[in-house]
Amino acid sequence: MTILIDADGCPVVDLTLQIAKQFGIPVIILCDTSHQIEREGVQTLVFDKGAGRRPVLILTILAAKKAPA
């Protein structure tokens, strides 16, 4: 399991990271160039602003995680 956070619109980024750390769950933060959110020990993916980009990125990440090894 990996938690994906749409950090541009999530008011509980730090709380989510704290809980994920307690349970050893990896987190990926997604944000655009106007809201670069970096946290230590967490992967952050920054992408260009634009409607519809984030859902495509999330689906791409999910598809990659389900792909057979």
Side-chain angles (χ1 to χ4, degrees):
M1 174 190 323
T2 299
I3 297 173
L4 303 176
I5 300 176
D6 178 355
D8 293 337
C10 181
V12 292
V13 171
D14 291 325
L15 178 61
T16 304
L17 295 175
Q18 180 183 10
I19 293 169
K21 185 176 181 178
Q22 288 176 349
F23 289 94
I25 301 171
V27 176
I28 299 174
I29 294 176
L30 306 163
C31 58
D32 65 32
T33 54
S34 65
H35 299 99
Q36 291 188 21
I37 300 171
E38 301 279 337
R39 296 295 189 275
E40 186 177 335
V42 177
Q43 180 181 7
T44 300
L45 301 178
V46 181
F47 50 93
D48 292 334
K49 294 187 292 186
R53 292 181 187 265
R54 198 171 356 233
V56 171
L57 183 57
I58 291 170
L59 291 173
T60 301
I61 292 168
L62 292 174
K65 290 200 173 288
K66 289 187 177 185

